[in-house]
Amino acid sequence: MEKFIIEGCHKLEGEVNISGSKNSSLPIIAASIMGEGKSILHNVPDLKDVQTMIKILNFLGAKTKFENNTLEIDPSGIYQFTAPYEFVSTMRGSICLLGPLLAKYKKARFSMPGGCVIGPRPIDLHIKGLKKLGVEIENEDGYIVGKVDKLKGNKIFLGGNFGPSVLATANILCAATLAEGETIIEFASCEPEIVDLANFLKKMGAKIYGEGSHLIKVEGVKNLKGTEYTIIPDRIEAGTYILAGYITKSRIRVNGVITNHLLALFDKLEEEGLEISYGDDYVETIPKDKWKAVEITTLPFPGFPTDLQAQMMSFLTLAEGVSLITEKVFPERFIHVGELNRLGADITLDGSKAIIKGVKSLKGAKVMASDLRASAALVLAGLAAEGITEISRIYHLDRGYEKFEHKLNALGAKIKRVKEGV
Ligand code: EPU
C-alpha cells in the first residue's frame, strides 16, 4: 500500500485542467453495451473505478481498448451476464450495468452490493423501477438475478426516503430506452451525469425527453447503435481543486469546468465572504486570509453535493465562527471527522449534523484515508496544515482523482507518494 507525505503551508499557483467525470463515465460505459457495434468514448478519466468497469466488461466478453483517455468498447462478444462479487465489492457503481444488461440481453446476475463506509447503500429503488418495467427479480445466494422476456414501458415513481437516486435513474433510463412503449420516470435525478448519460443514449438512437428535470419521458426504440461521445468534465474534481486554492489562500485557475454545475459551491463560498472569478468553463480563486462560518445542507443536484461535503468541511475547520453541515443524502457520511480532528480541527457530530468550530490553524499528523471524498478532504487539510501530514491508504483517491498529486504538485504543492512502512 502507498501513503502521501504532505508538507503543508505552501502556496499554490498556476493552472490545472479538469479530467472527465467519473460518475458520468461509469453509467455511460455500462450503457455502451446496449449498442449494436462499437462505441468510442473520449475524455474518460484513467481511474481505478474506470479500470474496474473495463475489467467487468472484459469479463462479460466485450472487447475494450483504453488509451490516452479514449475508450473503445465493442460489446458484440458479450456472452456472460454475471457481475461477480470480486468486482461489485470493490466498486458499488458497477450496479449501473444492471439496467443495460437486462435491456439488451434480458438477463443479469449481480452480486448484491453491501453497505460501504459512507453508510448503508440500499438498491430497492433500482429493483422497484426494473420490476415496473416487467423484470422478474430474485435473490439467490447473495446475487440478484433478473430476467425478462420483453421490457414494457410504465409510469415509475423513483423517489425514496433520501430523495431520488442517481444510479437507479441511470438503470431505469437505460432499460426504458429498449422497452416497448413509453416510460415516465417521476422524481428522476437531475444530476448533470444523468443528462450526460441521456445525451449519450440519444446519440445511440434513444428517444428521451426531460432529462435534467425530475420528470423524464422515454419512448422505447427497437435497437441502439454504437456511437462516439465525449464525457463532461468532473464537477467534483473541479470543486476539490477550487477548495484547494482557497484553503491554501492561493490564486489558481481551474480550466475545463462547466461552471453551471458548481453554482451551489460558489453560493456557499460567497456566503463565506470569498470572491470567485469565473467564466463558462474556468474558475479563478481569489485568495483571502479569513472566511466566515456557514450552514450547509447537502442535497441532490442542484443542491450542495454530498461529494463535496468532506472537502468543504476541511475548509470550514479554518473559518471564523461555528459552521453546521447537515448531510441529507448519506446521513452517516462523516468518517473524515475523526481524522480531521487529529489534524487539530474541532468538529463534533450530532446524528446527521456536524458542528465545526473554526480553529486558527491545523497541525500535520498521521491520518488514514477511508473513502474517496474523505481522502480528498484530508489532502486539502494537509495542504493547509503546519508541518507534515501523512495520509495512509490513499488507494481510495486513485479510484476517483486522475493524477491527483501530480496535478497538485504542478501547482506548487509538496506531496510525495511513498510505500507504506517507509
Ligand atoms: N437510496 C435508496 N435506495 C436505492 C438507492 C439509493 O434509498 O435504491 C438512497 C441512498 O442510500 C442515498 C440516496 O438514496 O441515501 C442517494 O443515493 P444515490 O442512489 O443517488 O447514490 P448512487 O447513485 O449510488 C451516486 C454517485 C455517488 C454520489 C451519489 C449521490 C456514482 C458512481 N456514484 O451514487 O458518488 O455520492 O450518487 O450524489 O455515480 C463518489 O463519487 O464519491 C460517490 C459516492
Side-chain angles (χ1 to χ4, degrees), residues 292-306:
K292 289 185 276 195
V294 288
E295 287 190 15
I296 296 183
T297 300
T298 64
L299 288 169
F301 189 83
F304 192 91
T306 175

Side-chain angles (χ1 to χ4, degrees), residues 22-23 26 92-93 118 120-126 162-168 191 306-307 329-331 333 372-373:
K22 165 178 88 78
N23 290 348
L26 298 177
R92 207 192 165 282
I118 68 176
R121 308 277 300 265
I123 54 161
D124 54 306
L125 297 173
H126 302 248
F162 300 97
S165 158
V166 179
L167 291 181
E191 263 63 7
T306 175
D307 290 344
V329 180
F330 292 109
R333 193 177 199 173
L372 171 57
R373 308 304 171 187

Side-chain angles (χ1 to χ4, degrees), residues 309 313 325 327 331-338 341 346-356:
Q309 178 257 108
M313 189 180 294
I325 295 186
E327 179 51 75
E332 296 173 27
R333 193 177 199 173
F334 285 123
I335 199 147
H336 41 284
V337 166
N341 283 345
D346 183 350
I347 311 168
T348 44
L349 281 179
D350 180 8
S352 61
K353 293 181 191 301
I355 300 140
I356 306 131

Side-chain angles (χ1 to χ4, degrees), residues 209-264:
Y209 312 90
E211 67 278 12
S213 78
H214 280 311
L215 196 144
I216 302 181
K217 190 171 114 180
V218 185
E219 278 167 25
V221 293
K222 289 238 164 1
N223 47 49
L224 298 170
K225 56 182 190 308
T227 190
E228 193 161 353
Y229 190 76
T230 301
I231 306 282
I232 56 166
D234 194 309
R235 63 191 166 107
I236 304 302
E237 187 199 19
T240 304
Y241 284 103
I242 292 166
L243 286 166
Y246 283 112
I247 202 170
T248 55
K249 302 172 185 169
S250 306
R251 184 180 286 268
I252 62 165
R253 185 177 160 112
V254 182
N255 290 324
V257 191
I258 301 176
T259 45
N260 279 348
H261 294 168
L262 285 164
L263 298 184

